[in-house]
Amino acid sequence: MLDNLQLMSKDNLRFNSKAIHGGQEPDKAYGSVMPPIYQTSTYAQSTPGGHKGYEYSRSANPTRTALENSLASIENGNYGLAFASGLAAIDAVMKLLKPGDEVVSTNDLYGGSYRLFSKIFEGFGIKFHFVNMENASTIEAHINKNTKLIWVETPTNPMMNIIAIKAVAEIAKKHKVLLGVDNTFATPYLQQPLDLGADLVMHSATKYLGGHSDVVMGALVVKDKELANKLYFIQNASGAVAGPMDSFLVLRGIKTLHVRMQRHCENGEAVANFLAKHPKIEKVYWPGFEWHPNHAIAKEQMNGFGGMISFVTKGNDYKEAIKIVENLKVFTLAESLGGVESLAGHPASMTHASIPKEEREKTGVVDALIRLSVGIEDKNDLIEDLDQAIG
Ligand SMILES: *Cc1c(COP(=O)(O)O)cnc(C)c1O
């Protein structure tokens, strides 16, 4: 119910306060500070249609509403929508389109997004152009009268390229094309795409927003009421909604987002610098380095450089990379990212295995590439762990 999603006075606060208070008010029944987990599918009516704003929990649920209002607040949007997963959120965006429509997408993309686009929506007659967007003007060559959406992921996964959202937004506006930004890696703490001209922001809330590796969830945030209505219709009609317990967990996660992100950035910087100086490491990809090709844009559109780092060992040796991820003791070898604990992944065989090898290697995802999600442990333990694993 879009009417439940309303801005409140607390939405004018600064980010660190909005993470805690944005879109929130004490529960109406007993004043509980956190919203109860309304674990219910349906709601009593006094007369047909006589309800208190909630009829059926696919359409709306008060715990989910509390989260959706928080999401809208921290992304500086007007409407938030919570989905069963990040991919369910992207799926809802794609359902705005019709057969014959075209999408210009970032090429260095989360593997699951690539699989959804190429294996599901191409089959429904939607055409995708996967484009290196480091130079925003290259996008224009792929826009034609059928183009309806530009899909941006920045920093890109796992190569940590930075795409200039403002420049892409100008192109999108000029051609009257919708711009969606997957803000999973940066989070609204580091980057606020709606303020830079994007029409919608998407999250895998599974990652930093949830922050504790205990929930799978997706989110969309928009400013425009008409677009919100269309997405709300799809959310309800297709039904991939976030459950009340999961909504509670992500809302709890968001309340410490700013504190966690500060530490992710601090630890990320320490680990990136350690790797860059290590004699056995060939390349380190992290947007905070002055020599990173898109560092200037990162500095302009981000409030920090985050804790996501990728690196390749000297000699680009596949076996060496596998040995390192197996030897890690504090870092856990696992899919996913953005939790309080440090994780290491091998994109070629894990997150990006659904992308064909030739496609993968074109963007730099070689077999020896290792991706780190640097957590919020003591940075010295993380560095010592990497040091012993690299050997
Ligand atoms: C994980 C992830 C997704 C998919 O989200 P799920 O919650 O796993 O469905 C999309 N984009 C990015 C950048 C991700 O990291």
Side-chain angles (χ1 to χ4, degrees), residues 186-214:
T187 83
Y189 177 80
L190 295 180
Q191 169 175 290
Q192 300 187 311
L194 296 179
D195 288 350
L196 298 170
D199 298 295
L200 68 92
V201 173
M202 172 263 155
H203 277 278
S204 169
T206 314
K207 316 294 168 53
Y208 286 105
L209 297 190
H212 295 73
S213 308
D214 52 9

mmCIF file of all heavy atoms in Angstrom, residues 186-214:
data_model
loop_
_atom_site.group_PDB
_atom_site.id
_atom_site.type_symbol
_atom_site.label_atom_id
_atom_site.label_comp_id
_atom_site.label_asym_id
_atom_site.label_seq_id
_atom_site.Cartn_x
_atom_site.Cartn_y
_atom_site.Cartn_z
ATOM 1 N N ALA A 186 28.362 -0.048 -2.740
ATOM 2 C CA ALA A 186 28.700 1.236 -2.109
ATOM 3 C C ALA A 186 27.852 1.482 -0.858
ATOM 4 O O ALA A 186 28.352 2.021 0.124
ATOM 5 C CB ALA A 186 28.511 2.363 -3.103
ATOM 6 N N THR A 187 26.589 1.107 -0.897
ATOM 7 C CA THR A 187 25.597 1.446 0.130
ATOM 8 C C THR A 187 25.346 2.957 0.136
ATOM 9 O O THR A 187 26.214 3.735 -0.285
ATOM 10 C CB THR A 187 25.970 1.028 1.583
ATOM 11 O OG1 THR A 187 26.823 2.021 2.168
ATOM 12 C CG2 THR A 187 26.581 -0.351 1.653
ATOM 13 N N PRO A 188 24.187 3.390 0.649
ATOM 14 C CA PRO A 188 23.922 4.833 0.696
ATOM 15 C C PRO A 188 24.876 5.594 1.608
ATOM 16 O O PRO A 188 24.946 6.820 1.531
ATOM 17 C CB PRO A 188 22.472 4.911 1.206
ATOM 18 C CG PRO A 188 22.184 3.590 1.826
ATOM 19 C CD PRO A 188 23.038 2.598 1.111
ATOM 20 N N TYR A 189 25.618 4.900 2.454
ATOM 21 C CA TYR A 189 26.618 5.588 3.287
ATOM 22 C C TYR A 189 27.708 6.188 2.398
ATOM 23 O O TYR A 189 28.204 7.281 2.657
ATOM 24 C CB TYR A 189 27.238 4.604 4.288
ATOM 25 C CG TYR A 189 28.341 5.194 5.139
ATOM 26 C CD1 TYR A 189 28.046 5.975 6.253
ATOM 27 C CD2 TYR A 189 29.685 4.965 4.831
ATOM 28 C CE1 TYR A 189 29.063 6.517 7.025
ATOM 29 C CE2 TYR A 189 30.701 5.500 5.611
ATOM 30 C CZ TYR A 189 30.385 6.287 6.705
ATOM 31 O OH TYR A 189 31.385 6.823 7.477
ATOM 32 N N LEU A 190 28.070 5.468 1.337
ATOM 33 C CA LEU A 190 29.155 5.932 0.471
ATOM 34 C C LEU A 190 28.669 6.662 -0.775
ATOM 35 O O LEU A 190 29.404 7.441 -1.367
ATOM 36 C CB LEU A 190 30.031 4.748 0.033
ATOM 37 C CG LEU A 190 30.807 4.015 1.127
ATOM 38 C CD1 LEU A 190 31.613 2.877 0.524
ATOM 39 C CD2 LEU A 190 31.730 4.986 1.854
ATOM 40 N N GLN A 191 27.439 6.379 -1.203
ATOM 41 C CA GLN A 191 27.016 6.879 -2.519
ATOM 42 C C GLN A 191 25.489 6.929 -2.590
ATOM 43 O O GLN A 191 24.835 5.956 -2.247
ATOM 44 C CB GLN A 191 27.576 5.893 -3.549
ATOM 45 C CG GLN A 191 27.120 5.987 -4.970
ATOM 46 C CD GLN A 191 27.910 4.994 -5.826
ATOM 47 O OE1 GLN A 191 29.089 5.173 -6.056
ATOM 48 N NE2 GLN A 191 27.259 3.943 -6.269
ATOM 49 N N GLN A 192 24.960 8.070 -3.054
ATOM 50 C CA GLN A 192 23.508 8.215 -3.107
ATOM 51 C C GLN A 192 23.064 8.509 -4.535
ATOM 52 O O GLN A 192 22.934 9.660 -4.949
ATOM 53 C CB GLN A 192 23.076 9.275 -2.096
ATOM 54 C CG GLN A 192 23.511 8.807 -0.691
ATOM 55 C CD GLN A 192 23.026 9.652 0.446
ATOM 56 O OE1 GLN A 192 23.151 10.866 0.414
ATOM 57 N NE2 GLN A 192 22.498 9.010 1.488
ATOM 58 N N PRO A 193 22.802 7.457 -5.298
ATOM 59 C CA PRO A 193 22.542 7.586 -6.739
ATOM 60 C C PRO A 193 21.349 8.471 -7.094
ATOM 61 O O PRO A 193 21.383 9.154 -8.117
ATOM 62 C CB PRO A 193 22.294 6.139 -7.197
ATOM 63 C CG PRO A 193 23.026 5.294 -6.206
ATOM 64 C CD PRO A 193 22.880 6.019 -4.918
ATOM 65 N N LEU A 194 20.298 8.492 -6.259
ATOM 66 C CA LEU A 194 19.128 9.322 -6.606
ATOM 67 C C LEU A 194 19.529 10.796 -6.630
ATOM 68 O O LEU A 194 19.053 11.562 -7.467
ATOM 69 C CB LEU A 194 17.978 9.090 -5.618
ATOM 70 C CG LEU A 194 17.372 7.682 -5.601
ATOM 71 C CD1 LEU A 194 16.247 7.599 -4.559
ATOM 72 C CD2 LEU A 194 16.843 7.258 -6.964
ATOM 73 N N ASP A 195 20.424 11.187 -5.719
ATOM 74 C CA ASP A 195 20.901 12.571 -5.691
ATOM 75 C C ASP A 195 21.759 12.892 -6.914
ATOM 76 O O ASP A 195 21.926 14.048 -7.284
ATOM 77 C CB ASP A 195 21.738 12.839 -4.428
ATOM 78 C CG ASP A 195 20.865 12.888 -3.182
ATOM 79 O OD1 ASP A 195 19.636 12.915 -3.336
ATOM 80 O OD2 ASP A 195 21.418 12.896 -2.065
ATOM 81 N N LEU A 196 22.330 11.848 -7.533
ATOM 82 C CA LEU A 196 23.189 12.053 -8.704
ATOM 83 C C LEU A 196 22.387 11.942 -10.007
ATOM 84 O O LEU A 196 22.950 11.986 -11.093
ATOM 85 C CB LEU A 196 24.335 11.029 -8.701
ATOM 86 C CG LEU A 196 25.295 11.117 -7.501
ATOM 87 C CD1 LEU A 196 26.238 9.922 -7.464
ATOM 88 C CD2 LEU A 196 26.111 12.410 -7.555
ATOM 89 N N GLY A 197 21.070 11.738 -9.894
ATOM 90 C CA GLY A 197 20.217 11.764 -11.086
ATOM 91 C C GLY A 197 19.631 10.426 -11.510
ATOM 92 O O GLY A 197 18.939 10.359 -12.523
ATOM 93 N N ALA A 198 19.899 9.353 -10.757
ATOM 94 C CA ALA A 198 19.306 8.052 -11.099
ATOM 95 C C ALA A 198 17.812 8.067 -10.778
ATOM 96 O O ALA A 198 17.361 8.821 -9.916
ATOM 97 C CB ALA A 198 20.000 6.936 -10.335
ATOM 98 N N ASP A 199 17.047 7.232 -11.502
ATOM 99 C CA ASP A 199 15.603 7.137 -11.246
ATOM 100 C C ASP A 199 15.282 6.098 -10.189
ATOM 101 O O ASP A 199 14.288 6.208 -9.496
ATOM 102 C CB ASP A 199 14.867 6.758 -12.540
ATOM 103 C CG ASP A 199 15.053 7.799 -13.603
ATOM 104 O OD1 ASP A 199 14.567 8.919 -13.404
ATOM 105 O OD2 ASP A 199 15.716 7.503 -14.623
ATOM 106 N N LEU A 200 16.106 5.051 -10.130
ATOM 107 C CA LEU A 200 15.861 4.044 -9.097
ATOM 108 C C LEU A 200 17.167 3.431 -8.613
ATOM 109 O O LEU A 200 18.143 3.332 -9.353
ATOM 110 C CB LEU A 200 14.871 2.974 -9.580
ATOM 111 C CG LEU A 200 15.219 2.001 -10.677
ATOM 112 C CD1 LEU A 200 15.803 0.740 -10.091
ATOM 113 C CD2 LEU A 200 13.959 1.662 -11.457
ATOM 114 N N VAL A 201 17.141 3.075 -7.338
ATOM 115 C CA VAL A 201 18.290 2.441 -6.703
ATOM 116 C C VAL A 201 17.876 1.044 -6.291
ATOM 117 O O VAL A 201 16.769 0.834 -5.810
ATOM 118 C CB VAL A 201 18.724 3.229 -5.452
ATOM 119 C CG1 VAL A 201 19.816 2.490 -4.692
ATOM 120 C CG2 VAL A 201 19.219 4.589 -5.841
ATOM 121 N N MET A 202 18.784 0.096 -6.518
ATOM 122 C CA MET A 202 18.497 -1.287 -6.146
ATOM 123 C C MET A 202 19.569 -1.757 -5.170
ATOM 124 O O MET A 202 20.717 -1.310 -5.217
ATOM 125 C CB MET A 202 18.505 -2.143 -7.422
ATOM 126 C CG MET A 202 18.410 -3.624 -7.204
ATOM 127 S SD MET A 202 20.068 -4.322 -7.237
ATOM 128 C CE MET A 202 19.828 -5.800 -6.265
ATOM 129 N N HIS A 203 19.153 -2.644 -4.233
ATOM 130 C CA HIS A 203 20.096 -3.240 -3.288
ATOM 131 C C HIS A 203 19.899 -4.731 -3.179
ATOM 132 O O HIS A 203 18.757 -5.193 -3.133
ATOM 133 C CB HIS A 203 19.899 -2.684 -1.872
ATOM 134 C CG HIS A 203 20.589 -1.394 -1.658
ATOM 135 N ND1 HIS A 203 21.926 -1.313 -1.348
ATOM 136 C CD2 HIS A 203 20.133 -0.134 -1.742
ATOM 137 C CE1 HIS A 203 22.258 -0.047 -1.238
ATOM 138 N NE2 HIS A 203 21.199 0.691 -1.474
ATOM 139 N N SER A 204 20.979 -5.465 -3.079
ATOM 140 C CA SER A 204 20.917 -6.760 -2.446
ATOM 141 C C SER A 204 21.121 -6.450 -0.968
ATOM 142 O O SER A 204 22.251 -6.252 -0.509
ATOM 143 C CB SER A 204 22.014 -7.700 -2.956
ATOM 144 O OG SER A 204 22.042 -8.841 -2.112
ATOM 145 N N ALA A 205 20.014 -6.384 -0.222
ATOM 146 C CA ALA A 205 20.084 -6.073 1.213
ATOM 147 C C ALA A 205 20.720 -7.219 1.990
ATOM 148 O O ALA A 205 21.054 -7.078 3.168
ATOM 149 C CB ALA A 205 18.692 -5.765 1.759
ATOM 150 N N THR A 206 20.890 -8.339 1.293
ATOM 151 C CA THR A 206 21.629 -9.495 1.818
ATOM 152 C C THR A 206 23.031 -9.080 2.270
ATOM 153 O O THR A 206 23.607 -9.704 3.165
ATOM 154 C CB THR A 206 21.788 -10.535 0.683
ATOM 155 O OG1 THR A 206 20.539 -10.706 0.029
ATOM 156 C CG2 THR A 206 22.309 -11.853 1.189
ATOM 157 N N LYS A 207 23.582 -8.051 1.645
ATOM 158 C CA LYS A 207 24.990 -7.696 1.832
ATOM 159 C C LYS A 207 25.135 -6.659 2.955
ATOM 160 O O LYS A 207 24.850 -6.965 4.093
ATOM 161 C CB LYS A 207 25.571 -7.218 0.495
ATOM 162 C CG LYS A 207 25.164 -8.094 -0.711
ATOM 163 C CD LYS A 207 25.709 -9.502 -0.669
ATOM 164 C CE LYS A 207 25.080 -10.449 -1.694
ATOM 165 N NZ LYS A 207 25.077 -10.010 -3.074
ATOM 166 N N TYR A 208 25.540 -5.420 2.626
ATOM 167 C CA TYR A 208 25.856 -4.461 3.693
ATOM 168 C C TYR A 208 24.637 -3.997 4.495
ATOM 169 O O TYR A 208 24.757 -3.734 5.689
ATOM 170 C CB TYR A 208 26.557 -3.230 3.117
ATOM 171 C CG TYR A 208 27.986 -3.488 2.712
ATOM 172 C CD1 TYR A 208 28.330 -3.610 1.379
ATOM 173 C CD2 TYR A 208 28.992 -3.607 3.672
ATOM 174 C CE1 TYR A 208 29.644 -3.846 0.996
ATOM 175 C CE2 TYR A 208 30.306 -3.835 3.303
ATOM 176 C CZ TYR A 208 30.629 -3.956 1.963
ATOM 177 O OH TYR A 208 31.926 -4.187 1.591
ATOM 178 N N LEU A 209 23.476 -3.842 3.852
ATOM 179 C CA LEU A 209 22.326 -3.307 4.599
ATOM 180 C C LEU A 209 21.954 -4.256 5.730
ATOM 181 O O LEU A 209 21.808 -3.851 6.877
ATOM 182 C CB LEU A 209 21.129 -3.059 3.673
ATOM 183 C CG LEU A 209 21.311 -2.021 2.558
ATOM 184 C CD1 LEU A 209 19.979 -1.720 1.893
ATOM 185 C CD2 LEU A 209 21.910 -0.724 3.079
ATOM 186 N N GLY A 210 21.813 -5.540 5.416
ATOM 187 C CA GLY A 210 21.594 -6.550 6.459
ATOM 188 C C GLY A 210 22.840 -6.626 7.326
ATOM 189 O O GLY A 210 22.782 -6.502 8.547
ATOM 190 N N GLY A 211 23.967 -6.844 6.672
ATOM 191 C CA GLY A 211 25.271 -6.691 7.317
ATOM 192 C C GLY A 211 25.750 -7.819 8.211
ATOM 193 O O GLY A 211 26.873 -7.756 8.713
ATOM 194 N N HIS A 212 24.920 -8.837 8.437
ATOM 195 C CA HIS A 212 25.320 -9.886 9.388
ATOM 196 C C HIS A 212 25.230 -11.285 8.798
ATOM 197 O O HIS A 212 25.203 -12.280 9.525
ATOM 198 C CB HIS A 212 24.484 -9.785 10.670
ATOM 199 C CG HIS A 212 24.728 -8.522 11.434
ATOM 200 N ND1 HIS A 212 24.252 -7.302 11.006
ATOM 201 C CD2 HIS A 212 25.425 -8.285 12.569
ATOM 202 C CE1 HIS A 212 24.638 -6.368 11.863
ATOM 203 N NE2 HIS A 212 25.349 -6.932 12.823
ATOM 204 N N SER A 213 25.161 -11.379 7.471
ATOM 205 C CA SER A 213 25.149 -12.668 6.766
ATOM 206 C C SER A 213 24.075 -13.611 7.309
ATOM 207 O O SER A 213 24.297 -14.814 7.415
ATOM 208 C CB SER A 213 26.535 -13.339 6.862
ATOM 209 O OG SER A 213 27.540 -12.437 6.441
ATOM 210 N N ASP A 214 22.914 -13.038 7.654
ATOM 211 C CA ASP A 214 21.863 -13.898 8.204
ATOM 212 C C ASP A 214 20.521 -13.755 7.492
ATOM 213 O O ASP A 214 19.493 -14.248 7.963
ATOM 214 C CB ASP A 214 21.683 -13.632 9.710
ATOM 215 C CG ASP A 214 21.484 -12.160 10.030
ATOM 216 O OD1 ASP A 214 21.315 -11.361 9.087
ATOM 217 O OD2 ASP A 214 21.499 -11.797 11.216
#
